[in-house]
């Protein structure tokens, strides 16, 4: 083996702890890169393949009732490849063993059994037999939650009539990868499922023979959506069409997309942090190593080695460290990736989920990590490589400590010798101090940036569930009902308070800007569900005029006092000009609200309501649910507090994992930075410290010098870390803000405290390891002057 | 000195940590427990209706001439509402006509036969009279036996009755002929008796006119509704289980009719319930409850007959009771609790409740007037937590 390589191995063995610390930081970077890209890749590819295999449609449109021949017109539109019509309805379900009423989305299967679009993947059992049989296939999660096997029966209020449906099998569909009931926060497979029935049976139940209520369209490759969507809208308008939409407004697809975006963000934000820190560390370590080995380098050069091979030797050192990091990171990343895949399997119903083992991911991670190491090394190496041998071999000139403050500023007597030692040493290498502080600050910032969301989430939950929408349950009616439905509901067992609401789909237009929203009407004395602005002030709905959320107002470009055009898209197609009486800051992006009476007057209808918000006595829920299950006019019942409970449970599970992972990562970075800093500082001041020991200072006092230095670095890093962490949080809030919702930026005091505590704990651990080294100084060896 | 700084620094850091980790007070909305009025109400949809509605109907079958009355016109008692004339008889088709003509011809023939019989009986009468006169003469001379005389007398009498009977028969046949002819005559010209007036039974306003145009009606078909629109009452369909608590004399409010709320009181709770399909699609038993509008002002002119209203009947009215907002209550097991805020801390307190409406509940023990209670408490709140009240005005 070549001599330099042997030296390399010896150096590695000698400095194994530092090397390990740096390798761990690099591993963290590589792991998050592999995880992020890998998970993104597998999710993306799985979704693409699933969509293609099962012919997921591109455009979806709902109508009230349209005759089947319209489908031929739509198929004739330019760019449309395939068209399929279906009947899709929402209905209440009563499953044995569940007290609360659940709901099912019922989707029709054509009578020929051929599924042109949105094909099912049958998991077990068989498709329902043709004709008007009351059989159905359930989606896998719902079946699993209720332990349904082929042959079981469930009762469904099909168009208000109690119908017993037999489950013949379970299936998965690309349309329902993420199954979310209307008004729910998270998927609750117990309370919401999907049933596929034969179209004849559904048509008979809903009076839709020869008609359809939903149409799916697949476009030719490369065809843009907008022109086709507007053509479809034109044809479906008179059948109660509420507007066709593409995949991005389809619930399941939208959630998957959001998840992919998060993964992509994660793979873009975290790895650079780790790799930058590790580049710093490599730089620091190599610099120190090279400075220590100045004489050896001079000797090597004198004996004939070229500058290039010496430089290459040191770069190899960095690359070996990086390689170790990549290997550790690859293993960790793969293992974490499997864990993530399992997490996905819980929420997303894929028939297969492949964790992409594309070697290019690993290759990319490896290259990036090695590149970071090389960059760190180059800078260090370039400083010394060009020294002439003779200069290199002579002992280095002692460091010059000069007064660099222009003013003669006497330190007050508070600072003792130790303090002077520390501050002098730190300030002599300001760049090293800066990089150490920066590294620690980043560790702290990682924690702040990942822990803040919990407090923010709690605040959103508090505002949403206990300040503005406090109802225990909401009943959504199939179609609008007269207000006497409210009085009837008040007589149900266990209802403490009932408040009506009305939701009308409208299109708001101002000039060229338009948006389709649900215009909500609330009674003036609403207490359960009311409007709050971000200052948590109650907003009273004016007796006429709209109140818009500020996001919507800015999209439409209207101000208070101006008018906006309201087009009713459901029944009457009326267009009215309504003044905007107020604009509200809210967390839910696009909302438009009016007083209930005013809304009914605007729609020229006598008092009608779309649903009722309820406050329920928790001891009477069984009796209440029994009655509700037999209410033909409801098609969905949102149980807010149940949903919240489930949300909190899921969140609790995820938070533990998240906190552990992020705390681990931050601890690795903190440990690595402090350890390397300490080791380098120690080797620089070895002579001074040994001298102090010889002079009679105790081990504690001597190590105190070094530990104070570390303490200063850590202390300086905290405020910077808090600030940077706040910056991360701010960036994330901007990233989350969209049309749909906005997240409040609330970073609680405790977040800063916990982040610092974790980072400081990691620093303390590494400091004590270094202290042990001081205690085991070989004083004589240290004090020997090398010649 | 150094030690002092170190200790100070340490204390400072510890204090900072404590401050950072101290649980922040939750922001809550506060309500009050106070002495105030408490009302239990029953709400039901109903309709306004005029107390007495008179339906004027056709007394006889006939033709009603075009009515000049319109809904909203005032009428007085006894005023003619409609005029009726007898209807024209139905025309005959070919077969009926032939049958009628045949019947007439037969009747005519019968008349002729009767006339012939009259003549015949007259002739026989003449003969009998002659015979009797001769018999009388002979009897006076004693030349015929008594039996002959008697026979002649009775023959005369028989002939007289035969004449009378033939005459009567002729009248019968003449009448039948007249009847058979009348069938064929078709639209006879208007007979002498012209019109029947249908009058209003009471004063008031015309509410509804069945049909303005001239037409032929059967007896009993309605012509118009008359009533006094200022004399209104409200009938509300109350769920049977709520109707149990409704009794005559209770106060109520009539709302949602388009104007300000009107005071009313319950005058009648009908004894039997009817089955109605509710707005929720469920069959329910409903009891019609009749409410009188307060007579301080006569019924507002804007409220009409058959208008949809909501009636809120006060079934229990307590002027002063210790009431707590329902929003402040939560259950633990079977017991009711509330968070009472004292200073800036909350205590979970059990309360015993009496009646409850949808905003307030009567508290019988556990809280006192003036207590501040947490409205809609968050599920993370616990006994002893610090709070900061929120002003959501």
């Amino acid at each position: 083996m070549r001599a330099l390589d042997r030296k390399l191995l010896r150096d590695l063995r000698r400095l194994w702890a530092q090397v390990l610390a740096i390798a761990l930081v690099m591993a963290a970077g590589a792991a998050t890169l592999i995880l992020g890209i890998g998970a993104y890749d597998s999710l993306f590819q799985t979704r693409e393949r699933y969509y293609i295999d099962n012919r997921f449609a591109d455009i979806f449109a709902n109508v009230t009732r349209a005759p089947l021949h319209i489908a031929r017109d739509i198929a004739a539109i330019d760019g449309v490849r395939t068209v399929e019509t279906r009947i899709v309805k929402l209905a209440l379900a009563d499953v044995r063993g569940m007290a609360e009423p659940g709901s099912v989305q019922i989707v029709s299967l054509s009578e020929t059994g051929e599924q042109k679009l949105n094909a099912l993947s049958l998991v077990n059992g068989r498709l329902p037999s043709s004709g008007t049989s009351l059989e159905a296939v359930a989606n896998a999660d719902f079946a699993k939650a209720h332990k349904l096997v082929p042959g079981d029966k469930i009762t469904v209020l099909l168009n208000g009539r109690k119908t017993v449906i037999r489950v013949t099998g379970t299936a998965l569909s690309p349309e329902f990868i993420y199954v979310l009931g209307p008004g729910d926060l998270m998927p609750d497979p117990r309370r919401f499922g999907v049933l596929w029935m034969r179209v004849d049976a559904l048509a008979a139940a809903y009076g839709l023979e020869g008609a359809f209520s939903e149409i799916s369209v697949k476009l030719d490759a490369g065809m843009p959506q907008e022109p086709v969507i507007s053509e479809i809208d034109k044809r479906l308008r008179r059948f109660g069409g509420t507007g066709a939409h593409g995949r991005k407004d389809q619930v399941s697809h939208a959630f998957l997309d959001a998840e992919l975006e998060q993964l992509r963000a994660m793979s873009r934000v975290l790895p650079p942090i780790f790799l930058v820190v590790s580049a710093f560390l490599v730089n620091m370590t190599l610099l120190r190593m090279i400075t220590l080995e100045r004489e050896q380098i001079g000797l090597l050069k004198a004996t004939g080695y070229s500058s290039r091979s010496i430089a290459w030797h040191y770069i190899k050192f960095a690359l070996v460290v990086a390689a170790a990091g990549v290997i550790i990171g690859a293993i960790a990343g793969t293992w974490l990736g499997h864990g993530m895949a399992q997490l996905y399997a819980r929420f997303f119903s894929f028939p297969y989920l492949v964790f992409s083992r594309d070697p290019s991911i690993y290759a990319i991670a490896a290259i990036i990590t090695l590149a970071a190491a090389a960059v760190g090394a180059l800078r260090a190496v370039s400083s010394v490589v060009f020294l002439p041998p003779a200069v290199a071999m002579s002992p280095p000139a002692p460091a010059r400590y000069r007064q660099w403050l222009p003013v003669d500023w006497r330190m007050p007597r508070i600072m003792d010798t130790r303090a002077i030692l520390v501050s002098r040493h730190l300030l002599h290498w300001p760049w090293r101090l800066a990089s150490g502080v920066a590294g620690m600050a980043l560790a702290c910032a990682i924690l702040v940036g990942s822990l803040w969301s919990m407090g923010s989430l709690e605040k959103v939950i508090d505002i949403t569930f206990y300040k503005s929408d406090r109802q225990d349950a909401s009943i959504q009616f199939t179609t609008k009902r007269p207000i006497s439905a409210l009085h009837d509901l008040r007589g149900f067992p266990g209802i403490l308070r009932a408040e009506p609401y009305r939701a009308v789909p409208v299109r708001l237009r101002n000039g060229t800007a338009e948006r389709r929203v649900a215009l909500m009407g609330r009674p003036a004395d609403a207490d359960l569900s009311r409007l709050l602005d971000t200052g948590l002030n109650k907003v009273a709905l004016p007796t006429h005029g709209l109140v818009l959320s500020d996001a919507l107002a800015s999209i439409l470009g209207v101000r208070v006092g101006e008018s906006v055009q309201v087009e009713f898209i459901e029944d009457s197609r009326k267009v009215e000009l309504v003044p905007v009486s107020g604009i509200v800051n809210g967390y839910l992006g696009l909302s438009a609200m009016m007083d209930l009476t005013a809304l009914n007057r605007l729609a020229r209808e006598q008092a009608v309501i779309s649903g009722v918000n309820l406050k329920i006595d928790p001891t009477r829920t069984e009796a209440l649910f029994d009655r509700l299950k037999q209410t033909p006019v409801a098609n969905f019942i949102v149980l807010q507090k149940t949903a919240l409970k489930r949300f909190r449970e899921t969140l609790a599970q995820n938070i533990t994992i998240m906190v552990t992972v992020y705390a681990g990562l931050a601890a690795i970075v903190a440990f690595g930075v402090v350890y390397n800093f300490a080791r380098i500082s120690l080797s620089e001041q070895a002579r001074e410290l040994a001298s102090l020991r010889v002079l009679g200072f105790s081990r504690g006092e001597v190590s105190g010098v070094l530990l104070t230095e570390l303490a200063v670095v850590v202390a300086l890093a905290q405020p910077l870390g808090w600030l940077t962490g706040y910056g991360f949080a701010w960036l994330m809030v901007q990233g989350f803000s969209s049309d749909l919702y906005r997240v409040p930026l609330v970073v609680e005091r405790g977040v800063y405290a916990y982040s610092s505590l974790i980072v400081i704990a990691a620093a303390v651990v590494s400091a004590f390891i270094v202290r042990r080294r001081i205690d085991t100084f070989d004083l004589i060896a240290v004090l020997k002057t090398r010649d | 000195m150094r030690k002092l700084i170190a200790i100070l620094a340490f204390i400072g850091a510890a204090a900072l940590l404590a401050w950072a980790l101290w649980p922040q007070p939750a922001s809550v909305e506060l309500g009050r427990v106070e002495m105030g009025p408490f009302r239990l109400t029953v709400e039901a949809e109903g309709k306004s209706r005029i107390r007495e509605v008179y339906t004027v109907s056709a007394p006889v079958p006939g033709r009603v001439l075009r009515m000049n009355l319109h809904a909203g016109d005032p009428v007085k008692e006894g005023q003619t509402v409609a005029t009726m004339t007898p209807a024209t008889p139905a025309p005959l088709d070919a077969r009926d006509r032939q049958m009628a003509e045949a019947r007439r011809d037969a009747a005519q023939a019968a008349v002729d036969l009767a006339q012939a019989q009259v003549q015949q009986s007259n002739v026989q009468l003449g003969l009998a009279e002659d015979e009797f006169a001769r018999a009388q003469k002979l009897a006076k001379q004693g030349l015929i036996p008594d039996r002959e005389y008697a026979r002649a007398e009775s023959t005369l009498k028989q002939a007289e009755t035969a004449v009378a009977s033939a005459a009567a028969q002729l009248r019968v046949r003449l009448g039948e002929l007249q009847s058979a002819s009348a069938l064929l005559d078709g639209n006879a010209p208007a007979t002498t008796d012209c019109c029947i007036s249908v009058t209003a039974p009471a004063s008031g306003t015309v509410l509804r006119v069945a049909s303005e145009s001239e037409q032929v009606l059967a007896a009993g078909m309605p012509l118009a509704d008359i009533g006094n629109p200022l004399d209104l009452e409200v009938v509300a369909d109350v769920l049977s289980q709520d109707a149990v608590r409704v009794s005559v004399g209770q106060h109520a409010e009539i709302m949602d009719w388009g104007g300000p709320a009107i005071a009313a009181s319950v005058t009648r709770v009908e004894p039997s319930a009817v089955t109605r399909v509710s707005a929720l699609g469920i069959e329910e038993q409903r009891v019609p409850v009749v409410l009188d509008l307060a007579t301080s002002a006569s019924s507002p002119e804007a409220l009409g007959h058959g208008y949809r209203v909501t009636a809120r009947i006060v079934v229990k009215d307590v002027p002063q009771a210790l009431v707590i907002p329902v929003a402040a209550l939560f259950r633990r097991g079977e017991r009711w609790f509330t968070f009472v805020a004292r200073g800036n801390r909350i205590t979970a307190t059990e309360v015993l409740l009496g009646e409850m409406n949808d905003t307030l509940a009567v508290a019988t023990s556990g809280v006192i007037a003036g207590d501040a209670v947490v409205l809609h408490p968050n599920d993370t709140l616990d006994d002893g937590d610090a709070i900061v009240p929120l002003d959501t005005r």
Side-chain angles (χ1 to χ4, degrees):
Chain A
M1 194 192 299
R2 305 197 36 208
L4 276 184
D5 291 338
R6 252 182 287 179
K7 174 177 178 301
L8 178 62
L9 286 174
R10 226 184 14 225
D11 283 337
L12 284 172
R13 220 174 313 145
R14 186 168 50 96
L15 297 171
W16 68 272
Q18 271 176 284
V19 163
L20 186 63
I22 301 175
L24 280 177
V25 177
M26 284 194 181
T32 43
L33 197 63
I34 289 172
L35 179 62
I37 298 182
Y40 180 89
D41 225 24
S42 31
L43 207 58
F44 191 80
Q45 282 184 13
T46 310
R47 188 181 77 169
E48 286 310 300
R49 205 171 99 187
Y50 193 24
Y51 281 179
I52 292 175
D53 281 349
N54 290 54
R55 303 182 289 282
F56 187 47
D58 292 311
I59 297 179
F60 305 84
N62 280 304
V63 291
T64 313
R65 184 211 161 97
L68 284 175
H69 65 79
I70 299 291
R72 262 176 280 149
D73 289 349
I74 293 182
I77 297 176
D78 216 7
V80 167
R81 184 141 51 104
T82 327
V83 159
E84 192 175 40
T85 58
R86 301 180 297 183
I87 298 176
V88 176
K89 292 282 177 194
L90 192 58
L92 270 189
D94 181 5
V95 185
R96 197 185 15 240
M98 186 168 77
E100 314 93 273
S103 292
V104 284
Q105 177 104 315
I106 311 187
V107 180
S108 68
L109 293 169
S110 76
E111 57 265 33
T112 56
E114 171 208 7
Q115 298 168 46
K116 284 194 274 184
L117 293 177
N118 307 320
L120 298 180
S121 305
L122 207 57
V123 169
N124 69 358
R126 60 169 174 83
L127 288 180
S129 45
S130 58
T132 54
S133 59
L134 291 171
E135 296 180 338
V137 166
N139 72 317
D141 285 335
F142 185 69
K144 194 162 79 166
H146 291 286
K147 300 192 179 48
L148 294 176
V149 293
D152 281 347
K153 295 190 170 50
I154 54 179
T155 314
V156 175
L157 281 182
L158 216 54
N159 201 14
R161 220 167 288 126
K162 224 174 187 176
T163 322
V164 175
I165 295 185
R166 215 172 114 221
V167 174
T168 56
T170 51
L172 295 166
S173 159
E175 224 184 325
F176 297 103
I177 297 174
Y178 193 78
V179 183
L180 190 69
D184 267 346
L185 286 176
M186 324 199 60
D188 191 351
R190 268 187 79 235
R191 283 186 41 247
F192 185 72
V194 184
L195 290 180
W196 286 272
M197 288 175 72
R198 287 281 170 206
V199 69
D200 288 341
L202 264 187
Y206 282 92
L208 286 173
E209 290 91 341
F212 63 88
S213 80
E214 198 261 11
I215 185 165
S216 312
V217 170
K218 191 137 190 76
L219 299 174
D220 288 330
M223 182 77 197
Q225 282 187 352
E226 272 67 27
V228 180
I229 287 182
S230 45
E231 283 294 310
I232 294 179
D233 279 346
K234 251 192 279 188
R235 282 167 182 67
L236 294 179
R237 191 158 298 171
R238 57 195 172 101
F239 300 108
T242 48
H245 59 263
R247 281 184 186 175
K248 74 171 165 66
D249 290 314
Q250 209 259 353
V251 170
S252 161
H253 179 95
F255 272 91
L256 260 186
D257 252 0
E259 191 62 35
L260 285 171
E261 275 310 305
Q262 276 200 349
L263 278 178
R264 183 188 289 174
M266 181 172 96
S267 69
R268 288 224 178 111
V269 167
L270 283 180
I273 296 177
F274 292 117
L275 293 176
V276 159
V277 170
S278 55
F280 274 154
L281 292 176
V282 165
N283 188 28
M284 267 178 10
T285 313
L286 269 183
L287 211 55
R288 179 62 198 152
M289 206 162 80
I290 287 168
T291 314
L292 272 177
E293 298 179 354
R294 248 173 75 107
E295 292 177 22
Q296 279 91 321
I297 294 176
L299 201 59
L300 287 170
K301 280 200 184 175
T303 46
Y305 282 92
S306 68
S307 303
R308 216 164 44 123
S309 53
I310 299 174
W312 174 232
H313 163 77
Y314 285 108
I315 292 179
K316 252 195 295 199
F317 181 86
L319 290 181
V320 167
V321 175
V326 165
I327 292 172
I328 300 173
I331 297 173
T334 314
W335 179 72
L336 282 174
H338 279 297
M340 187 154 251
Q342 282 170 4
L343 206 69
Y344 283 147
R346 257 198 305 153
F347 285 118
F348 297 119
S349 316
F350 283 113
Y352 42 79
L353 181 58
V354 164
F355 187 66
S356 160
R357 297 237 188 182
D358 192 358
S360 68
I361 301 175
Y362 296 94
I364 292 174
I367 290 173
I368 293 180
T369 316
L370 292 172
V375 161
L378 273 173
R379 274 212 46 205
V381 159
S382 60
S383 62
V384 127
V385 149
F386 298 105
L387 275 180
V391 176
M393 279 196 286
S394 57
R400 286 182 59 198
Y401 292 90
R402 1 177 251 288
Q403 177 183 335
W404 45 266
L405 286 175
V407 166
D408 185 14
W409 175 49
R410 299 232 178 253
M411 289 255 116
R413 297 297 294 166
I414 303 175
M415 290 188 75
D416 65 339
T417 321
R418 179 171 62 182
I420 295 177
L421 267 177
V422 164
S423 46
R424 208 182 57 170
H425 187 234
L426 280 177
L427 290 172
H428 188 70
W429 279 276
W431 284 115
R432 192 200 301 159
L433 174 64
S435 63
V437 167
M440 284 294 286
L442 278 174
C444 184
I446 289 174
L447 275 176
V448 170
S450 50
L451 296 179
W452 74 274
S453 55
M454 279 173 270
S456 172
L457 201 59
E458 269 306 317
K459 175 147 191 234
V460 170
I461 287 178
D462 185 49
I463 291 176
T464 314
F465 288 94
Y466 294 98
K467 301 277 186 320
S468 61
D469 282 294
R470 294 89 80 85
Q471 62 271 25
D472 294 328
S474 283
I475 299 186
Q476 181 181 298
F477 296 137
T478 328
T479 52
K480 45 188 195 247
R481 299 258 119 209
I483 197 155
S484 54
L486 173 70
H487 305 142
D488 296 339
L489 270 176
R490 285 203 175 125
F492 276 30
I495 304 267
L496 296 177
R497 191 179 164 94
E499 277 172 18
Y501 68 85
R502 174 108 198 259
V504 186
V506 297
R507 195 165 277 131
L508 297 179
R509 214 176 273 130
N510 181 31
T512 52
E514 68 169 51
R515 262 301 188 273
R516 200 195 129 187
V517 293
L519 183 53
M520 298 286 294
R522 293 202 178 98
D525 63 344
D527 180 55
L528 290 182
S529 172
R530 57 195 192 153
L531 201 54
L532 292 179
D533 62 14
T534 42
L536 295 184
N537 300 314
K538 184 166 163 187
V539 175
L541 289 171
T543 44
H544 31 256
L546 286 176
V547 172
L548 300 178
S549 65
D550 56 348
L552 183 56
S554 64
I555 288 175
L556 294 173
V558 284
R559 286 199 300 268
V560 176
E562 298 178 356
S563 288
V564 81
Q565 212 181 41
V566 175
E567 183 196 342
F568 291 87
I569 50 186
E570 208 167 35
D571 303 314
S572 52
R573 302 274 159 205
K574 272 196 313 284
V575 178
E576 302 271 349
L577 212 55
V578 182
V580 175
S581 331
I583 293 185
V584 160
N585 302 339
Y587 292 120
L588 290 179
L590 298 185
S591 40
M593 289 140 288
M594 279 184 86
D595 178 67
L596 181 61
T597 328
L599 179 56
N600 279 326
R601 205 182 314 129
L602 187 68
R604 304 271 193 279
E605 285 164 341
Q606 214 170 31
V608 280
I609 56 178
S610 317
V612 179
N613 293 323
L614 303 172
K615 185 166 159 74
I616 300 177
D617 182 349
T619 54
R620 311 280 302 280
T621 46
E622 227 178 277
L624 174 63
F625 288 148
D626 260 341
R627 284 291 290 276
L628 284 176
K629 280 186 207 174
Q630 310 188 18
T631 311
V633 300
N635 68 358
F636 195 79
I637 296 176
V638 181
L639 295 174
Q640 269 89 353
K641 295 300 191 300
T642 309
L644 178 63
K645 208 160 61 134
R646 199 184 139 70
F647 182 64
R648 279 238 169 84
E649 281 165 8
T650 318
L651 208 61
Q653 292 168 355
N654 291 350
I655 278 178
T656 328
I657 301 173
M658 191 175 92
V659 167
T660 316
V661 168
Y662 281 116
L665 291 175
I668 289 175
V669 172
F671 187 92
V673 167
V674 167
Y675 188 77
N676 274 286
F677 199 89
R679 281 289 280 122
I680 290 170
S681 188
L682 177 62
S683 69
E684 270 176 3
Q685 293 180 94
R687 292 192 59 129
E688 284 90 349
L689 295 177
S691 311
L692 285 177
R693 284 281 284 129
V694 164
L695 285 173
F697 285 91
S698 75
R699 273 190 291 202
E701 286 168 333
V702 168
S703 55
V705 172
L706 190 59
L707 293 179
T708 314
E709 212 177 289
L710 294 175
V712 168
V713 170
V714 168
L716 282 178
Q718 298 315 304
L720 187 61
W722 297 336
L723 215 61
T724 319
Y726 189 84
F728 283 163
W730 186 86
L731 280 174
M732 277 199 262
V733 163
Q734 304 307 110
F736 277 143
S737 290
S738 62
D739 271 0
L740 290 180
Y741 56 87
R742 188 181 298 182
V743 177
L745 181 57
V746 169
V747 190
E748 291 178 337
R749 302 192 302 233
V751 171
Y752 296 127
Y754 279 117
S755 311
S756 292
L757 279 177
I758 293 175
V759 163
I760 290 174
V764 162
V765 166
S766 78
F768 269 107
I769 294 178
V770 172
R771 192 204 142 128
R772 277 192 35 153
R773 286 217 135 211
I774 298 177
D775 292 345
T776 59
F777 253 172
D778 185 355
L779 292 172
I780 300 171
V782 170
L783 284 172
K784 258 201 277 190
T785 313
R786 292 226 181 87
D787 260 326
Chain B
M1 189 65 185
R2 230 185 314 139
K3 268 217 169 72
L4 190 64
I5 295 174
I7 292 174
L8 279 177
F10 182 71
I11 292 176
L16 203 67
L17 195 68
W19 173 82
L21 292 178
W22 203 256
Q24 281 196 318
S27 67
V28 295
E29 231 179 298
L30 291 180
R32 257 186 204 290
V33 177
E34 45 197 14
M35 295 294 291
F38 176 78
R39 292 193 338 173
L40 262 185
T41 58
V42 165
E43 247 179 69
E45 235 190 13
K47 279 207 288 258
S48 62
R49 66 179 189 197
I50 293 178
R51 211 188 297 272
E52 305 289 347
V53 173
Y54 301 90
T55 303
V56 180
S57 51
V60 293
R63 163 183 280 133
V64 172
L65 298 181
R66 184 176 179 84
M67 290 179 35
N68 267 327
L69 277 181
H70 300 101
D73 289 344
V75 288
K76 281 216 191 17
E77 183 173 345
Q79 178 180 334
T80 304
V81 166
T83 317
M84 292 186 69
T85 56
T88 44
L92 296 170
D93 59 19
R95 185 177 74 175
D96 284 344
R97 177 161 285 278
Q98 275 185 351
M99 279 168 53
E101 282 176 355
R103 209 174 291 135
R104 187 198 47 197
D105 293 342
Q108 181 72 51
V111 161
D112 294 342
L113 177 65
Q115 279 175 338
Q117 275 187 339
V118 161
Q119 279 180 341
Q120 181 190 27
S121 54
N122 275 333
V123 163
Q124 280 192 337
L125 178 64
L127 177 63
E129 279 175 342
D130 280 346
E131 291 268 353
F132 186 63
R134 208 172 305 129
Q136 256 185 341
K137 232 184 325 189
L138 288 180
K140 227 183 305 197
Q141 293 170 4
L143 293 175
I144 54 167
D146 287 335
R147 202 181 61 212
E148 293 289 336
Y149 180 77
R151 198 182 293 142
E153 195 178 358
S154 94
T155 311
L156 174 65
K157 284 204 178 67
Q158 278 183 356
E160 285 173 346
T161 54
V163 163
S165 136
Q169 184 79 310
L170 175 62
R171 281 199 298 280
V172 166
R173 297 296 173 219
L174 277 175
E176 282 175 357
L177 173 63
Q178 202 176 15
S179 153
S181 311
L183 206 58
L184 285 170
D185 272 342
N187 277 334
T191 48
T192 48
D193 45 345
C194 154
C195 323
I196 307 171
S197 279
V198 183
T199 55
S203 305
T205 313
V206 175
L207 301 176
R208 189 184 70 99
V209 172
S211 173
E212 271 185 33
S213 314
E214 179 176 316
Q215 55 186 309
V216 172
L217 291 177
M221 296 292 288
L223 292 171
D225 289 340
I226 297 176
N228 180 6
L230 295 179
D231 188 23
L232 289 172
E233 64 184 9
V234 167
V235 63
D237 285 330
V238 176
L239 275 177
S240 58
Q241 53 256 43
D242 290 335
V244 172
R245 294 182 290 172
V246 175
S247 53
V248 173
Q250 285 174 341
H251 291 291
E253 267 183 339
I254 308 296
M255 317 174 310
D256 293 344
W257 58 277
I262 310 171
S265 64
V266 178
T267 47
R268 192 163 64 247
V269 178
E270 292 191 11
S272 55
V274 276
T275 308
R276 293 269 161 82
V277 178
S278 76
L280 290 177
I282 311 171
E283 269 186 5
E284 277 164 350
Q285 297 300 105
R286 294 206 174 245
V287 174
V289 169
V290 179
L291 302 119
D292 236 7
L293 297 178
T295 50
S296 55
S298 54
S299 320
E301 290 175 3
L303 186 61
H305 172 77
Y307 282 24
R308 188 193 148 277
V309 301
T310 303
R312 183 185 283 165
I313 307 171
V314 178
V315 298
K316 186 169 183 158
D317 195 348
V318 182
Q320 280 283 70
L322 188 64
V323 288
I324 180 171
V326 167
L329 298 169
F330 58 95
R331 285 256 196 209
R332 274 195 193 156
E334 288 285 330
R335 297 155 31 183
W336 284 111
F337 278 78
T338 183
F339 281 119
V340 178
R342 293 203 177 86
N344 68 339
R345 293 210 169 264
I346 53 175
T347 330
T349 320
E350 184 177 1
V351 279
L352 293 176
L353 299 176
E355 300 257 16
M356 198 189 291
N357 69 20
D358 64 348
T359 30
L360 298 171
V362 174
T364 52
S365 87
V367 286
I368 55 172
D371 276 347
V373 287
V374 174
L375 299 178
H376 295 281
N378 192 317
D379 56 348
T380 54
L381 281 183
D382 220 346
D383 201 20
D385 280 355
I387 52 131
V388 53
L390 205 61
D391 188 17
T392 52
R393 221 153 332 110

